[in-house]
Amino acid sequence: MNAQAPTPTSKFLHLFTTHPPYVYQEGCVYAGRELEISAENDFIQATCALERVAALLMRLREIGVYDNSAIAIISDHGNYLLESRRASSPSRASLIGSANPTFAFKPVQSEGPIEVRQNEVHIGDFGATLCDGLQVCSVPQGVSALSPSGARTRVFYDYRWENDFWSADSIETLKKYEINGPIGSLSSWSLGAELPVGEPMAIADMDNAGDFLISGWGGLEGWGVWSIAESAYLAFTSPPGAGAVRVRARGFVADGIPRRTVSVSYRGQELASIPFSLTDSKVEFDIPLPDDRENVVELEFRITDPVSPKFLGLSEDTRNLGIGLEAISFLPENKPTSAQIP
């Protein structure tokens, strides 16, 4: 690059060193192989990229064009596959991390220390920010990061890259979210299934099961879905007038594991404890909804020692199963629930 053009010029640099796979060791030494995905390796790789950016900025100062340049440092997504520390939801920490991108902007002839703002900005705001900073253009989309954004709806598309996407016309697994408010708050996201009060819905028949079954669940089967981890999460929009959730479920029990207990909690507070046995492997139970709940309720199903059918010699299924969800419904407030489960 050079700065010899007689008219204002824009440059766009795309740094691939910020992307997985992680291949740098301490000191930005090329490892010669792909390293594991971890916060430590992510920090090393990001540091190497930012050191090169800093070197470029210093060079702009040396040749006398830094002050007269508008500079933006942005990313299309945040900490890919790593959990955000801003997340109020443990099962959503990775998603929130992905939706929390780097966004820094230096206007022309700016002075003073770096200012940190709380605006919820993203890559779609780059054009509006650039036009606002230069005062030479306008764009129909986005919100300038240089001005208070106030209430806004931000759209975020989540996906996991696959090599087949190179030749695909569309990404079928693309999931759209709308964010209204602080990105770290679960209530700001358009999450969870919306189900009416009093009408049971079979899990296998849900069109929006992907929104409802957040993490820790296997694929949908003809009867419902199995948990496949020690913790499995559900998220749903709490409908007006709902006082409890009624769940019909089955427990993964067998001769090698004749009894199992699954606890259900909200924000660490246990709401129910469900026992399963060989004689009572299918049960229906009620989960009272807390009075202090947010609009979006996230329930954690914690399974002690999930085990696979293959380990027990029952089949070739290697998934560690615990509880299977069959149907769910909401009970009105003040309606008596079923007997308390010990």
Side-chain angles (χ1 to χ4, degrees), residues 104-180:
F105 185 76
K106 184 200 81 68
V108 174
Q109 300 297 338
S110 59
E111 296 181 351
I114 293 176
E115 179 184 353
V116 178
R117 299 192 177 189
Q118 298 303 314
N119 301 26
E120 298 289 340
V121 299
H122 64 116
I123 191 173
D125 296 326
F126 167 68
T129 303
L130 187 63
C131 289
D132 186 17
L134 296 176
Q135 294 294 306
V136 295
C137 57
S138 63
V139 292
Q141 292 89 22
V143 176
S144 172
L146 300 178
S147 60
S149 59
R152 66 177 299 193
T153 297
R154 176 191 158 190
V155 175
F156 173 69
Y157 292 93
D158 184 50
Y159 66 95
R160 290 293 178 264
W161 179 259
E162 299 177 13
N163 285 333
D164 293 343
F165 291 168
W166 287 113
S167 57
D169 294 327
S170 63
I171 300 176
E172 299 297 332
T173 57
L174 199 68
K175 294 187 66 173
K176 177 182 177 180
Y177 296 98
E178 292 184 352
I179 308 171
N180 295 279

Side-chain angles (χ1 to χ4, degrees), residues 226-228 252 254 257 306-322:
W226 280 114
S227 67
I228 57 173
F252 181 61
I257 180 170
V307 66
S308 70
K310 183 173 183 178
F311 179 81
L312 297 176
L314 301 176
S315 71
E316 293 301 310
D317 190 345
T318 59
R319 299 175 301 169
N320 291 322
L321 309 181

Side-chain angles (χ1 to χ4, degrees), residues 234-247:
L234 299 182
F236 52 82
T237 300
S238 179
V245 179
R246 176 162 290 177
V247 177

Side-chain angles (χ1 to χ4, degrees), residues 214-267:
I214 301 303
S215 65
W217 305 99
L220 286 177
E221 303 179 33
W223 57 269
V225 62
W226 280 114
S227 67
I228 57 173
E230 290 186 355
S231 288
Y233 293 85
L234 299 182
F236 52 82
T237 300
S238 179
V245 179
R246 176 162 290 177
V247 177
R248 188 167 71 243
R250 62 178 66 178
F252 181 61
V253 290
D255 289 337
I257 180 170
R259 292 185 176 276
R260 175 180 298 284
T261 300
V262 177
S263 65
V264 185
S265 61
Y266 172 73
R267 290 184 174 180

Side-chain angles (χ1 to χ4, degrees), residues 59-72:
R59 181 58 180 160
L60 294 179
R61 295 188 69 126
E62 291 172 3
I63 63 177
V65 298
Y66 178 86
D67 288 342
N68 202 38
S69 298
I71 301 170

Side-chain angles (χ1 to χ4, degrees), residues 3-331:
Q4 306 303 317
T7 57
T9 302
S10 62
K11 299 286 186 181
F12 181 81
L13 304 179
H14 186 187
L15 304 181
F16 281 92
T17 47
T18 59
H19 285 260
Y22 299 140
V23 294
Y24 286 107
Q25 297 172 329
E26 287 284 358
C28 301
V29 176
Y30 178 55
R33 68 184 189 283
E34 181 175 344
L35 305 176
E36 66 176 352
I37 296 176
S38 68
E40 179 182 2
N41 288 332
D42 177 74
F43 181 83
I44 293 173
Q45 189 119 336
T47 299
C48 293
L50 290 175
E51 284 181 351
R52 304 283 77 77
V53 172
L56 172 63
L57 298 181
M58 291 301 295
R59 181 58 180 160
L60 294 179
R61 295 188 69 126
E62 291 172 3
I63 63 177
V65 298
Y66 178 86
D67 288 342
N68 202 38
S69 298
I71 301 170
I73 302 175
I74 59 177
S75 63
D76 51 354
H77 53 70
N79 295 327
Y80 188 71
L81 298 180
L82 295 176
E83 296 184 350
S84 170
R85 295 177 181 176
R86 297 179 62 187
S88 62
S89 157
S91 71
R92 285 291 178 173
S94 179
L95 174 68
I96 291 173
S98 296
N100 186 27
T102 298
F103 197 109
F105 185 76
K106 184 200 81 68
V108 174
Q109 300 297 338
S110 59
E111 296 181 351
I114 293 176
E115 179 184 353
V116 178
R117 299 192 177 189
Q118 298 303 314
N119 301 26
E120 298 289 340
V121 299
H122 64 116
I123 191 173
D125 296 326
F126 167 68
T129 303
L130 187 63
C131 289
D132 186 17
L134 296 176
Q135 294 294 306
V136 295
C137 57
S138 63
V139 292
Q141 292 89 22
V143 176
S144 172
L146 300 178
S147 60
S149 59
R152 66 177 299 193
T153 297
R154 176 191 158 190
V155 175
F156 173 69
Y157 292 93
D158 184 50
Y159 66 95
R160 290 293 178 264
W161 179 259
E162 299 177 13
N163 285 333
D164 293 343
F165 291 168
W166 287 113
S167 57
D169 294 327
S170 63
I171 300 176
E172 299 297 332
T173 57
L174 199 68
K175 294 187 66 173
K176 177 182 177 180
Y177 296 98
E178 292 184 352
I179 308 171
N180 295 279
I183 192 174
S185 174
L186 190 68
S187 61
S188 301
W189 290 68
S190 57
L191 300 173
E194 296 184 6
L195 303 175
V197 175
E199 297 183 23
M201 174 67 74
I203 301 294
D205 294 337
M206 288 184 179
D207 294 331
N208 56 351
D211 294 334
F212 182 78
L213 305 167
I214 301 303
S215 65
W217 305 99
L220 286 177
E221 303 179 33
W223 57 269
V225 62
W226 280 114
S227 67
I228 57 173
E230 290 186 355
S231 288
Y233 293 85
L234 299 182
F236 52 82
T237 300
S238 179
V245 179
R246 176 162 290 177
V247 177
R248 188 167 71 243
R250 62 178 66 178
F252 181 61
V253 290
D255 289 337
I257 180 170
R259 292 185 176 276
R260 175 180 298 284
T261 300
V262 177
S263 65
V264 185
S265 61
Y266 172 73
R267 290 184 174 180
Q269 174 189 356
E270 184 172 305
L271 303 178
S273 182
I274 307 100
F276 296 96
S277 66
L278 288 175
T279 56
D280 292 303
S281 61
K282 294 186 178 183
V283 300
E284 189 173 85
F285 59 94
D286 299 334
I287 304 171
L289 294 176
D291 294 333
D292 62 345
R293 64 184 181 273
E294 296 182 348
N295 179 48
V296 176
V297 178
E298 184 178 77
L299 299 180
E300 178 186 8
F301 289 71
R302 181 167 289 277
I303 300 96
T304 303
D305 298 327
V307 66
S308 70
K310 183 173 183 178
F311 179 81
L312 297 176
L314 301 176
S315 71
E316 293 301 310
D317 190 345
T318 59
R319 299 175 301 169
N320 291 322
L321 309 181
I323 185 173
L325 300 185
E326 297 183 6
I328 187 171
S329 60
F330 290 97
L331 301 180

